[in-house]
Structure formats: structure tokens, C-alpha cells
Amino acid sequence: DSGQLGDGTTTDRSTPVQVRGLADVVAIAGGRWYSLALRHDGTVWAWGQNDSGQLGDGTTTDRSTPVQVQGLADVVAIAGAGWHTIALRRDGTVWAWGNNFYGQLGDGTTTNLRLTPVQAQGITNVVAVAGGSEHTMALRRDGTVWAWGFNEYGQLGDGTTTNRSTPVQVPGMADVVAIAGGAEHTLALRRDGTVWAWGHNEQGQLGDGTTTDRSTPVQVQGMADVVAIAGAVWHTLALRRDGTVWAWGFNNSGQPNDGTTANPLAPVQAQGLPDMGP
């Protein structure tokens, strides 16, 4: 209904339709009711809902076909969030646009809407970015994790619940190789194959066996040899080297796929999947 399928209409589709006018795409990402694409030439394109400027085209007009994000080049990675968007440039700098009510763009302000990209301050040598509902994360080349934005549940991992408009380092996180965001929680995968999480935990999405929010990282119970992680709104997923998929957190619709609808507070294996290993 916001044009997020990119086919020039606002008609819901139950089978795939091609996004109009895009070629040479090398990466895609999704935000809340909007979509993103990174082209081989390093430009970013977006379509769908734009009420917070999350499409980055200088307007707040919804788009049902892709528009180019203004003023960005040499982009190597993109991430969608709730109402803001993140891009990583080849030079290791982070850029963001859209809603900034909690400082989630990282430019040192809480100027509510940025309709074109602004640079996150004080952070360089970034190799990966991720977004939560209203917070942003970055992984630096040295294996440290940094975060900024909304922090009511401790999702920035700095031991506080204070919102941050510039990046702060997550203490105690080293040798991290991947990051991911849920709505209000954050995840890190370390080189040793362990998974760590922090932030909102009402549904057990941190996987530490409790429903206690955490403002510093806690290790997910019983997870080893993990090679990939993903965050959803209130649940979390991990892929192990042996090709098995594990999940924990909110389970009202069977999200962890363990055959129950109870919220698992620690990882359970998803059932009935073929080998998903690398």
C-alpha cells in the first residue's frame, strides 16, 4: 500500500513481480514498508513509504518505483531499519537518513527528519552496518561494535538506557565478525562462533534463559559454531556450521518452528529444514 514492491502500483501481490527500472543490483535490503537496492556502480535506490524521508530523495513522498538516494556514491553495503536507512561507503564511513528523533542517524543531533544522507560522526574503518527499529549499529575492522540512537531497553549495549546521537562503543565486544538488529535488541557473532545479545528481552529474544532486559552483552545459551545471525522484531535466528537453524524469542505464530507456540528463552532447533550449511 506504500509502493514497497516497486512495480509502479500499490496493489498487493501474492506472487513475485519485478521491480521496475533496476539493473546491475548487487545487494538488497528491507525497512519498515520500504525497500532498498545497491547497484554495482555504488549508487543506492529506494522505494515505498517515505513519510520520514527514509528513501533519501529529498522528499517525503511515497514512491512505487525506485528513486536514487541523493548524494551517495561508492556504497558497498546497505541496511534498512524502522524509519531510517543506513549505508556504508567504501572509505569506511557510515551515512544515514530518515527519522532521527532519537539520534539514530548518528550526526550529533536529534533533528527529526533528514531527507538526504548525513554522515555518522566519529566512526571510521567500518566494515558492516545494521539497523534496529530506532537504533543503528556498526562493526569496525578491528572487531569492535558501535551503536547509537534509541536506548530505552539497553539496545546500545553501553551499560545505560541513555539515547545517543553519536556512536558509542559496546564494552567487552571484541573479535566480532557479524552484527544484526532486532526491533529493540542487538546481536553480535564472534569469531569463535558464539552469539551475544543485548537490549529488549521481554519475549526471550536475547536467548540467555531469562526475560530480563540487558544493557550490556550476554551470551546466548548453548550456541556454538554459528556462522550467521539474523534479528526479527521479537525473535532471533542463528545458522550453525552444521547447517542447522536455531531460534529463540517470540513464538505466537511458531516463528522458531520447533513445533510449539511457547516462547523459548534459549535456542531451539527449527524442525523440518534441509541442510542450510555453507
Side-chain angles (χ1 to χ4, degrees), residues 8-252:
T9 78
T10 54
T11 303
D12 295 346
R13 305 290 186 180
S14 61
T15 56
V17 290
Q18 186 172 355
V19 177
R20 287 173 48 180
L22 273 185
D24 296 321
V25 172
V26 295
I28 52 176
R32 188 177 186 270
W33 299 327
Y34 71 100
S35 305
L36 303 161
L38 172 62
R39 293 188 61 190
H40 189 267
D41 63 5
T43 60
V44 180
W45 297 71
W47 57 98
Q49 189 179 81
N50 197 28
D51 57 348
S52 294
Q54 58 265 54
L55 303 189
D57 68 340
T59 78
T60 55
T61 303
D62 293 351
R63 305 290 185 178
S64 61
T65 55
V67 291
Q68 185 173 351
V69 176
Q70 293 185 6
L72 266 190
D74 293 322
V75 173
V76 295
I78 52 176
W83 295 268
H84 70 290
T85 309
I86 309 122
L88 171 63
R89 292 188 62 188
R90 191 176 306 278
D91 62 5
T93 59
V94 178
W95 297 72
W97 56 98
N99 191 291
N100 194 36
F101 187 81
Y102 298 104
Q104 58 263 50
L105 303 189
D107 67 342
T109 78
T110 53
T111 301
N112 192 24
L113 301 184
R114 299 288 193 181
L115 306 186
T116 56
V118 293
Q119 185 175 351
Q121 299 300 301
I123 190 164
T124 56
N125 295 318
V126 173
V127 295
V129 290
S133 181
E134 293 161 322
H135 70 291
T136 305
M137 301 79 76
L139 172 63
R140 292 190 66 192
R141 190 173 305 279
D142 62 5
T144 59
V145 179
W146 298 68
W148 57 99
F150 189 48
N151 197 29
E152 180 178 351
Y153 302 101
Q155 57 263 57
L156 302 189
D158 66 343
T160 78
T161 54
T162 303
N163 299 337
R164 307 289 185 178
S165 62
T166 55
V168 292
Q169 185 173 352
V170 179
M173 281 282 90
D175 293 322
V176 172
V177 295
I179 54 174
E184 291 153 342
H185 69 291
T186 307
L187 307 160
L189 171 63
R190 294 187 64 185
R191 191 176 306 277
D192 63 5
T194 59
V195 181
W196 297 72
W198 56 97
H200 198 200
N201 197 28
E202 182 179 4
Q203 307 297 336
Q205 58 263 53
L206 302 189
D208 68 340
T210 79
T211 56
T212 303
D213 294 347
R214 306 292 185 177
S215 62
T216 55
V218 292
Q219 186 172 351
V220 176
Q221 293 184 1
M223 281 275 89
D225 294 323
V226 173
V227 295
I229 52 175
V233 178
W234 294 308
H235 73 286
T236 307
L237 301 148
L239 170 65
R240 293 188 61 186
R241 190 174 305 278
D242 64 4
T244 58
V245 177
W246 296 71
W248 54 98
F250 197 47
N251 194 26
N252 71 323

